[in-house]
Amino acid sequence: MREVHDTLSPERRRQLIDALRRGAVPETGLGALAVGLGRFETAVDAELDSVATGSAVFKAIRGEYGSGKTFFTRWLAERAKQRNFAVAEVQVSENETPLHRLETVYRRLTERLATASFQPSAFRPVIDAWFYALEEDALAAGATDEGLGEAAEGLLATRLAEVSRTAPMFAAALRGYRRAQEAENEATAESLIAWLGGQPHVAASARRSAGVRGDLDHFGALGFLQGLLTVLRDSGHPGLLLVLDEVETLQRVRSDARDKALNALRQLIDEVHAGRFPGLYLLITGTPAFYDGAQGAQRLPPLAQRLATDFTTDARFDNPRAVQLRLPGFTVESLTELGGRVRDIYARESSAADRIQTVADDAYIEELARAVAGGLGGKVGIAPRLFLKKLVSDVLDRVDQFPDFDPHRHYALTLNTAELTEVERNAAAEGDRADDIPLDL
């Protein structure tokens, strides 16, 4: 465990602790907190390696609210970035990102695109890196400075030949973007990048300059995704991890829109398996109700068939290579282990490290874990977010700043509805808890 902590830089430790203090899932450093995910490492690493060599993978994550689906996806994103993948996390939403309109999914993808070097949106830096790589390859092939532009255009046509058959406008817009840059026409270049990213309402003059027209539609988005994967690969990113989060929201939309969205998901899965998107790792997350319920995947039998996974055996024997993964959920023991890891990371950056280790020892952390779970009606599975927030902001911060603070004597856990998520509030209510009950530790 100590070796894992040592891999984090001081800045990463501070970012991680600050996110937990706010009750959020950290963006980085998740390997240090990956309690219970070791069982998946070998399988997902093999899948990422396969995608990096030109394959494509589809995976579905299954878990109740609070079970750690977001944590899992960001943990996987970190592992992908270590392989120089690009990553994008897209929240499925009836109004903002309806799954039956894949052009909105593609648009959010480009807005949320990130790499190890660039935070969202990394879309334009990736495009620029691709053109730089084209010019480098053209020079290596013997092009002169005078003929560099023409040679790069030839390479562009060659590498986008397959994409041009299904999405010729993607290649055309790339050419237009490059010419606008060469002409130092930044307004047109920005407009064409926006159009390539699926943004609507791009200036007609910019589109005319590149010979493209209209806005991206549902079917065109699939071709644009192909083009983006080609650009990523040639600019040094061997794959893209695309996360479609909270697909269970499809259960709450109108029946016609739901059926279209379920069919769009089925279509995406089939395209992945058919080899249309080499270099794509497509991951969806959802609740068991989505996978098993009548208003979810079961509503479309072909989709249910593609997602079907046997969970009738003991969870210890779940197959990490299966299309659908069941998150194990937290116990008091695993929650205590997680709290211990957070305490150790916190102590590394504190001048009161010895006292933190002594006052907030494993026994105290277990007491706090049981108390938080008790305040949520005994539902340990949804306790991690709130438990870690309380541990950092209410306990460790005070031990760090006040030499005479002892959580055994000076701290009583309170759970106020204002700081709870809807799921946490429901759990607390089911446990017959009032809005603000002190729990003595």
Side-chain angles (χ1 to χ4, degrees):
M1 186 167 67
R2 181 67 64 181
E3 280 188 11
V4 173
H5 298 167
D6 283 346
T7 65
L8 298 176
S9 67
E11 181 61 26
R12 288 282 182 88
R13 293 191 196 102
R14 287 191 288 271
Q15 291 173 351
L16 185 150
I17 293 297
D18 183 59
L20 297 179
R21 182 182 288 118
R22 293 181 283 107
V25 176
E27 295 286 345
T28 61
L30 297 180
L33 305 182
V35 173
L37 298 185
R39 61 189 301 179
F40 302 119
E41 284 186 5
T42 300
V44 299
D45 284 352
E47 289 168 348
L48 288 170
D49 291 341
S50 175
V51 169
T53 58
S55 297
V57 167
F58 168 77
K59 208 80 167 180
I61 303 300
R62 169 195 191 96
E64 295 288 0
Y65 287 106
S67 63
K69 297 189 294 296
T70 299
F71 184 95
F72 181 95
T73 59
R74 293 185 183 173
W75 169 77
L76 181 58
E78 272 201 333
R79 303 184 82 81
K81 285 181 180 178
Q82 290 168 2
R83 291 164 170 77
N84 213 26
F85 276 46
V87 303
E89 181 181 318
V90 176
Q91 300 287 327
V92 175
S93 162
E94 178 182 5
N95 296 321
E96 297 295 325
T97 320
L99 196 53
H100 67 282
R101 295 181 57 195
L102 290 179
E103 69 272 23
T104 67
V105 175
Y106 174 81
R107 184 189 313 151
R108 298 291 177 252
L109 186 170
T110 61
E111 291 171 352
R112 298 296 303 155
L113 192 70
T115 67
S117 302
F118 294 98
Q119 293 301 308
S121 169
F123 184 63
R124 185 167 184 174
V126 164
I127 297 293
D128 289 341
W130 185 65
F131 278 115
Y132 178 80
L134 284 182
E135 292 178 353
E136 289 294 300
D137 289 348
L139 289 171
T144 63
D145 290 341
E146 293 76 13
L148 182 58
E150 183 178 347
E153 287 263 347
L155 282 177
L156 185 153
T158 300
R159 294 182 183 179
L160 287 179
E162 181 65 31
V163 178
S164 293
R165 282 192 279 272
T166 56
M169 294 297 97
F170 188 87
L174 281 174
R175 292 188 185 94
Y177 170 71
R178 185 171 185 275
R179 290 167 183 163
Q181 281 195 310
E182 289 177 336
E184 298 183 354
N185 187 339
E186 181 59 20
T188 297
E190 283 190 2
S191 293
L192 289 174
I193 278 290
W195 193 84
L196 280 165
Q199 297 295 332
H201 315 307
V202 172
S205 59
R207 286 185 274 124
R208 280 196 302 270
S209 72
V212 298
R213 55 187 172 181
D215 294 328
L216 188 64
D217 62 15
H218 175 88
F219 297 103
L222 295 174
F224 273 41
L225 178 56
Q226 281 182 283
L228 177 59
L229 289 167
T230 298
V231 167
L232 285 169
R233 183 175 60 249
D234 288 347
S235 58
H237 302 287
L240 166 67
L241 171 65
L242 172 58
V243 178
L244 301 181
D245 201 13
E246 298 184 358
V247 294
E248 68 271 5
T249 59
L250 297 180
Q251 299 171 103
R252 300 193 290 270
V253 305
R254 296 190 324 270
S255 60
D256 59 335
R258 184 189 315 144
D259 290 342
K260 291 178 182 177
L262 292 172
N263 191 58
L265 181 56
R266 191 272 312 160
Q267 179 187 11
L268 263 179
I269 295 171
D270 286 352
E271 297 281 18
V272 168
H273 290 158
R276 182 175 180 181
F277 304 116
L280 177 65
Y281 194 124
L282 177 63
L283 182 76
I284 67 171
T285 74
T287 59
F290 168 76
Y291 296 110
D292 303 335
Q295 300 306 314
Q298 299 302 317
R299 188 178 175 93
L300 183 65
L303 175 61
Q305 183 182 56
R306 287 154 176 77
L307 294 172
T309 304
D310 177 21
F311 291 119
T312 59
T313 57
D314 190 305
R316 292 178 300 158
F317 306 116
D318 282 0
N319 178 12
R321 299 172 182 169
V323 67
Q324 193 181 145
L325 300 183
R326 171 171 56 177
L327 295 185
F330 275 90
T331 62
V332 169
E333 292 72 25
S334 59
L335 205 57
T336 302
E337 180 184 350
L338 176 60
R341 292 191 182 197
V342 170
R343 174 204 57 210
D344 293 347
I345 293 171
Y346 191 108
R348 289 291 305 275
E349 297 302 311
S350 171
S351 58
D354 290 341
R355 200 162 60 81
I356 286 174
Q357 295 283 356
T358 301
V359 175
D361 59 9
D362 289 350
Y364 175 80
I365 288 175
E366 181 179 349
E367 289 181 35
L368 182 62
R370 290 186 183 279
V372 173
L376 298 176
K379 296 185 177 180
V380 183
I382 64 172
R385 185 198 75 86
L386 190 60
F387 164 68
L388 294 176
K389 182 177 186 294
K390 294 292 185 179
L391 176 62
V392 173
S393 64
D394 289 359
V395 177
L396 298 181
D397 277 348
R398 286 169 169 158
V399 174
D400 184 46
Q401 297 176 85
F402 306 107
D404 57 342
F405 177 78
D406 182 349
H408 290 281
R409 294 188 294 115
H410 302 130
Y411 176 65
L413 173 68
T414 59
L415 302 182
N416 190 289
T417 55
E419 65 180 334
L420 305 182
T421 65
E422 181 180 356
V423 173
E424 292 164 349
R425 282 195 296 273
N426 291 338
E430 289 173 10
D432 292 324
R433 304 291 178 180
D435 287 348
D436 207 355
I437 297 180
L439 300 174
D440 293 328
L441 303 181

